[in-house]
Amino acid sequence: MTKMQQAFKERMDEDELLNCMRCGFCLPSCPTYVESGYKESHSPRGRIALMKAVVDGIIEPDEDVERSLDLCLGCRACEPVCPSGVKYGHLLEEARDIIQQHKKHSVPVRALRKVVFDGVFPYQNRMRLLTNFLGIYQRSGLQAVAHKTGVMRLFPESLATMEKVLPKAPTMKDMKNRPTALPTLASKQKRVAFFTGCLMDTMFLETNNATLTLLQHAGCEIVIPPEQNCCGALHGHSGEKSKAKELAIKNIKAFENLDVDYIITNAGGCGAFLVDYDHLLKDDSDWSSRASAFQSKIKDISAILVELGFHKKHKLTLRPQRVTYQDSCHLRNVQGTFLQPRLLLQAVEGVDFFEMKDADRCCGSAGIYNITESEMSMQILDHKMEKVAESEATTIVTANPGCLLQMKLGIEREGLTGILRAVHIADFLMEALDITEADVETVMER
């Protein structure tokens, strides 16, 4: 038995593997199963069977097994429909981690993973620096030159198109001038902490500011611990579990003594990973109970706004437009938040809300999946854009940065820029909220 096989046998949860009854309820919900032409090895049931076969020593964890697991989006759409309640996402992450820890990467790949996972995402100052470089590229005219000279044609099509739809990067001054506490702008209802995220507080800074303003107007006193860091989702999904645990422990330390009712997130992927901290640290006697206490307070921005009746207490108005909603997979499938965003959108005057068919089907973003598995990602996105077209919407609202960029990518690929737009729900609600510019500036008060 190889070391990798032995690790599968020792580390995989065999009870969870046996919970899968092979009933097939998961099959229609799995995008890669459908898009691969109903290939069993690209379904949740098939992947679990492969994991079990490795654990039992029937097969080796070869390239075919790794390929099957790599092609999985990790959207976890299989979990809500599973009658046995199999935690497929936990099995997938454990298997990926085992493979990565025993795999011999080439020197370039090993160096790239070291830079990304160890050198960049754990350090917010480095995230700011990279975002600042992007801002210089965008504002200096270099981006315009790159487009005119055709330099971007040297890159894969999906990456070149993604470069076009990236948000305008904030300045270093704006990224550094972040609040650590904000007062409520209405009758106080809750005291909350805000999880800023790494990408959200750099590339998507405006969305974070919008989120904070909405919380203030909903009656929330806000604390924002500066010691927090990346949630660790990218690490956890990519076979870097030990690093994910380090990041989780740092976040728990940053939030656990704040005396707050909730910890608010505005990124579906981050929120889902934060909710799973209790599983991530379940074998750590020093941190398991503290992780459970932490994850019990996680709540998405849309959930708290509905809980506090924000959409009933404030006038929300926009120009007439047809709006549809694209679910963030992890917000829906892991956090169970899907009704609240729709209630908020339907409360906006001028909005004709239309429920898109298969709104709960993954858009193909899945973290960095649209980069590492571009062909499958674009295939899934093309089908998603077909459903968008059927909805006849002029605005797509979503609740996760990756989903937002993916939908913008779809709009650009379809040549619909200027006709159709994609927007984060926090930014959309800010557009609809009848407040003054002075109110918005209050976000930056310390």
Side-chain angles (χ1 to χ4, degrees):
M1 181 177 290
T2 66
K3 290 183 178 179
M4 192 185 298
Q5 280 180 303
Q6 185 63 35
F8 262 85
K9 189 169 186 63
E10 292 173 355
R11 290 177 52 184
M12 294 300 295
D13 187 336
E14 193 159 7
D15 288 339
E16 199 67 60
L17 290 171
L18 290 170
N19 277 343
C20 177
M21 302 185 300
R22 315 291 191 265
C23 65
F25 278 106
C26 61
L27 300 182
S29 70
C30 179
T32 55
Y33 174 72
V34 174
E35 297 296 338
S36 67
Y38 308 105
K39 190 173 181 179
E40 183 70 20
S41 62
H42 294 335
S43 72
R45 178 177 69 179
R47 292 180 175 113
I48 290 174
L50 289 175
M51 296 178 208
K52 182 67 166 61
V54 173
V55 169
D56 291 342
I58 298 173
I59 62 173
E60 293 185 6
D62 56 16
E63 291 183 359
D64 290 337
V65 173
E66 183 180 356
R67 180 64 190 142
S68 175
L69 299 181
D70 283 347
L71 199 62
C72 179
L73 291 148
C75 68
R76 297 172 70 167
C78 50
E79 292 187 15
V81 299
C82 178
S84 298
V86 175
K87 298 296 183 183
Y88 171 80
H90 296 165
L91 292 172
L92 176 68
E93 288 181 4
E94 193 70 24
R96 282 178 170 173
D97 187 64
I98 293 170
I99 290 172
Q100 289 302 323
Q101 299 314 310
H102 291 82
K103 184 177 180 179
K104 293 182 178 179
H105 290 290
S106 65
V107 173
V109 171
R110 193 161 61 246
L112 180 61
R113 290 179 68 91
K114 181 73 174 177
V115 169
V116 172
F117 296 125
D118 294 345
V120 178
F121 276 89
Y123 302 98
Q124 195 64 4
N125 60 331
R126 297 176 189 178
M127 294 292 293
R128 292 191 187 111
L129 186 61
L130 286 177
T131 303
N132 189 52
F133 286 148
L134 172 63
I136 293 171
Y137 167 72
Q138 292 173 333
R139 294 187 293 267
S140 66
L142 286 173
Q143 186 175 36
V145 171
H147 291 173
K148 288 180 181 178
T149 58
V151 169
M152 297 309 299
R153 286 198 291 270
L154 299 175
F155 294 87
E157 181 186 354
S158 59
L159 281 179
T161 308
M162 183 69 76
E163 183 266 351
K164 292 181 182 180
V165 302
L166 288 175
K168 297 301 180 185
T171 65
M172 181 64 81
K173 179 181 177 181
D174 288 337
M175 287 186 285
K176 285 187 174 180
N177 186 27
R178 304 303 292 143
T180 56
L182 290 169
T184 179
L185 293 175
S187 175
K188 182 179 176 181
Q189 303 294 314
K190 299 288 182 182
R191 175 179 164 84
V192 303
F194 180 56
F195 184 81
T196 58
C198 48
L199 278 177
M200 291 304 298
D201 217 42
T202 50
M203 192 179 296
F204 294 90
L205 187 70
E206 288 187 11
T207 302
N208 265 8
N209 287 343
T211 303
L212 292 170
T213 302
L214 293 172
L215 287 171
Q216 287 180 287
H217 282 273
C220 292
E221 177 188 344
I222 311 167
V223 290
I224 310 159
E227 301 85 4
Q228 61 181 297
N229 51 224
C230 171
C231 68
L234 182 62
H235 301 78
H237 301 328
S238 304
E240 298 285 340
K241 195 172 181 180
S242 61
K243 193 66 181 182
K245 289 180 178 180
E246 291 178 21
L247 294 170
I249 288 172
K250 289 180 181 179
N251 279 326
I252 293 169
K253 286 180 179 178
F255 283 89
E256 65 181 348
N257 295 319
L258 296 180
D259 187 27
V260 295
D261 299 299
Y262 300 122
I263 299 170
I264 305 302
T265 69
N266 61 0
C270 294
F273 201 72
L274 296 174
V275 165
D276 263 352
Y277 273 7
D278 59 338
H279 174 76
L280 182 67
L281 297 169
K282 64 182 176 63
D283 296 324
D284 190 323
S285 59
D286 293 329
W287 290 97
S288 60
S289 61
R290 294 164 75 175
S292 294
F294 172 89
Q295 68 87 27
S296 68
K297 292 187 176 183
I298 301 298
K299 190 177 285 286
D300 183 69
I301 177 63
S302 62
I304 190 171
L305 292 180
V306 170
E307 178 180 322
L308 298 181
F310 171 83
H311 56 310
K312 298 177 180 179
K313 298 174 183 176
H314 293 276
K315 183 179 180 181
L316 302 171
T317 308
L318 283 174
R319 60 175 175 76
Q321 56 191 289
R322 174 167 271 210
V323 174
T324 194
Y325 180 72
Q326 166 62 25
D327 283 286
S328 156
C329 293
H330 287 124
L331 182 59
R332 182 181 184 113
N333 300 327
V334 182
Q335 293 179 262
T337 301
F338 54 91
L339 179 61
Q340 296 93 327
R342 291 166 168 83
L343 290 175
L344 293 169
L345 296 177
Q346 291 168 0
V348 179
E349 292 182 20
V351 164
D352 171 22
F353 180 78
F354 186 87
E355 185 67 35
M356 174 173 57
K357 184 179 181 182
D358 295 334
D360 59 344
R361 181 68 62 88
C362 184
C363 64
S365 171
I368 57 172
Y369 186 94
N370 53 7
I371 298 173
T372 60
E373 299 291 345
S374 178
E375 183 178 352
M376 177 61 78
S377 175
M378 294 304 102
Q379 189 174 329
I380 292 170
L381 178 58
D382 288 342
H383 284 178
K384 176 61 66 176
M385 295 309 297
E386 290 177 6
K387 303 306 178 186
V388 171
E390 291 173 6
S391 75
E392 298 182 350
T394 55
T395 301
I396 309 168
V397 177
T398 188
N400 187 61
C403 302
L404 179 61
L405 288 179
Q406 185 81 339
M407 299 315 298
K408 287 186 174 185
L409 182 61
I411 291 169
E412 182 71 21
R413 281 165 57 88
E414 296 293 324
L416 296 174
T417 302
I419 301 171
L420 176 64
R421 66 170 183 152
V423 61
H424 190 285
I425 190 168
D427 296 312
F428 187 80
L429 293 174
M430 271 297 295
E431 293 176 12
L433 185 60
D434 184 19
I435 59 175
T436 66
E437 189 66 27
D439 291 327
V440 178
E441 291 176 356
T442 304
V443 170
M444 298 312 299
E445 291 181 2
R446 292 187 179 273

